[in-house]
Amino acid sequence: MNKRILFFVTIVTITLANCSIVYRVTGKTLNSYAQDHLVPFYLASDDLDAICTGGTALGPLVASFERTGASVELATMVAQMGAGMCAEKQAQEAELLYIAAVRKGKGEEALDHQARQIRYHGVAAKRYGDAHNRFLQYFGEWNGKCPSISDDEELYYLVGLSSGLLAILHDFASQGYAGITREVPSVVAGGSKCLDSKKWWGTPLALEAVVWLSVPGATPDGKDANKQMEEAVKQGDQAGVRMSRAFQIQAAAGKGDVEKIKKLILEHSKVISQIPAKKEYLFLEAFAENLSRHESDKIWMKETGHRGPINFSSFPGKKKNNKEEDDLLKDL
């Protein structure tokens, strides 16, 4: 009897060990596939909804392979950033509905939409924060010195820094719901110096400038955050990857300067028609355009009660330059 029990235990142990090996190998294969094929596919797509939904769906699956001992930090980081964008878009929609309700004098409805907006900002902050934590797990805690980064890792380093900045901004909008630590701004500002700004379309300069603009007293003596942001935007425009414009718009929106926001949005719309986007990074382009479109829609909603043109090329009271803007109601 004892021999039979021993034999059974041995078979179970071997089976479990083999399963563990299979899971670990599968995790490594999945992580390799994600880095070699899934992430480049994501970045080349301009379909924000599909990518953010994919990040929400695949993120937990990819992350679960950590339980097998597989290293999946980079793939999970990208998935969580995509998932964060889903929550961000929901926060944007709730904000537009809030503005519309206020305009119609529907107080209770407005408060409900505002509550939803704050909650979605909180979800976005948590997801972006998790992406940033994956970044720290892979590259190590920031100690003031740049880590050794291979050419293939630089893009992930930039994504990790960007996720940290987005986590900060959304946590502020959610009234601190996600509890993003105070160390994140210093990580973003310091880590941005580890990347060549021209190689990465001015984005490292933009990340540092947004921290300076967002955190009181963060701007070093002799530095001008707005001028640095303008240089970042210039580099991004020339490269056809305008992530810097996304951060510039967010920084301006945080200050509430409507006239400046209008100016930046119109500049963004104009440059899109002049300089084609880099095909390998259409996702980042779409993200930047979505932010400008949202800020444009907010202005239109406040002033007219409806959203503005899809190419965010004009504002109420200005001469329209696109046929779709000539008469938004003619087909209704």
Side-chain angles (χ1 to χ4, degrees):
M1 185 67 178
N2 289 336
K3 290 184 178 180
R4 291 181 180 179
I5 294 174
L6 179 62
F7 178 73
F8 175 76
V9 171
T10 301
I11 293 298
V12 170
T13 302
I14 293 174
T15 301
L16 291 175
N18 286 337
C19 286
S20 178
I21 293 172
V22 170
Y23 293 153
R24 190 177 299 114
V25 171
T26 302
K28 291 181 179 180
T29 301
L30 180 61
N31 187 54
S32 178
Y33 168 79
Q35 292 183 41
D36 294 343
H37 300 287
L38 185 61
V39 172
F41 177 81
Y42 271 16
L43 292 172
S45 172
D46 62 357
D47 190 337
L48 281 184
D49 289 333
I51 300 305
C52 83
T53 302
T56 305
L58 294 177
L61 172 63
V62 175
S64 70
F65 280 95
E66 283 183 324
R67 295 169 61 88
T68 70
S71 174
V72 292
E73 290 92 351
L74 297 184
T76 304
M77 178 181 71
V78 175
Q80 284 299 89
M81 188 176 187
M85 289 179 182
C86 265
E88 181 172 355
K89 285 173 70 66
Q90 290 173 308
Q92 290 172 345
E93 183 66 18
E95 184 176 20
L96 291 176
L97 292 174
Y98 162 74
I99 294 171
V102 169
R103 194 172 189 276
K104 296 174 182 177
K106 298 181 178 181
E108 293 180 348
E109 183 178 326
L111 289 174
D112 185 59
H113 289 310
Q114 186 179 54
R116 291 176 59 243
Q117 176 192 348
I118 292 171
R119 293 180 188 187
Y120 283 129
H121 277 304
V123 174
K126 283 192 170 185
R127 291 174 178 176
Y128 285 133
D130 184 48
H132 183 71
N133 289 336
R134 303 287 177 171
F135 156 78
L136 294 175
Q137 289 173 16
Y138 185 85
F139 291 101
E141 296 291 333
W142 176 251
N143 60 5
K145 298 180 181 180
C146 295
S148 177
I149 311 171
S150 69
D151 290 343
D152 292 337
E153 291 173 330
E154 286 188 6
L155 175 62
Y156 292 99
Y157 197 85
L158 182 64
V159 169
L161 293 176
S162 299
S163 297
L165 180 60
L166 291 168
I168 297 167
L169 297 176
H170 284 280
D171 193 43
F172 179 78
S174 71
Q175 303 174 355
Y177 173 75
I180 302 302
T181 63
R182 295 181 179 180
E183 290 75 22
V184 176
S186 62
V187 174
V188 174
S192 65
K193 295 183 175 67
C194 301
L195 298 173
D196 184 326
S197 184
K198 288 187 176 180
K199 178 179 179 180
W200 296 107
W201 338 293
T203 309
L205 284 179
L207 292 171
E208 186 177 40
V210 174
V211 172
W212 293 349
L213 290 167
S214 304
V215 181
T219 306
D221 292 338
K223 295 290 186 179
D224 188 320
N226 288 310
K227 286 186 177 179
Q228 178 160 316
M229 183 64 80
E230 289 171 4
E231 176 59 27
V233 167
K234 181 180 178 181
Q235 292 180 12
D237 287 346
Q238 293 172 344
V241 184
R242 288 165 273 261
M243 272 290 285
S244 296
R245 285 199 174 272
F247 293 126
Q248 184 186 40
I249 289 289
Q250 286 187 322
K255 300 294 183 181
D257 187 340
V258 177
E259 291 306 312
K260 182 176 182 179
I261 293 171
K262 286 183 177 181
K263 176 178 177 291
L264 295 177
I265 290 172
L266 293 176
E267 287 177 356
H268 190 184
S269 177
K270 183 177 180 181
V271 77
I272 288 172
S273 64
Q274 295 176 336
I275 304 175
K278 201 164 187 175
K279 294 182 179 179
E280 300 96 313
Y281 301 106
L282 292 178
F283 173 61
L284 303 180
E285 273 290 284
F287 177 65
E289 289 180 25
N290 177 67
L291 286 172
S292 281
R293 186 175 297 111
H294 175 63
E295 292 302 323
S296 172
D297 284 342
K298 283 167 58 178
I299 294 170
W300 275 87
M301 190 68 76
K302 287 178 182 178
E303 297 188 23
T304 69
H306 61 74
R307 302 164 204 248
I310 192 171
N311 59 4
F312 47 90
S313 60
S314 68
F315 290 102
K318 300 287 186 178
K319 184 179 178 180
K320 298 178 176 60
N321 58 10
N322 190 301
K323 289 183 179 180
E324 71 176 283
E325 302 170 36
D326 289 342
D327 185 357
L328 293 173
L329 303 177
K330 67 181 181 181
D331 293 326
L332 297 182

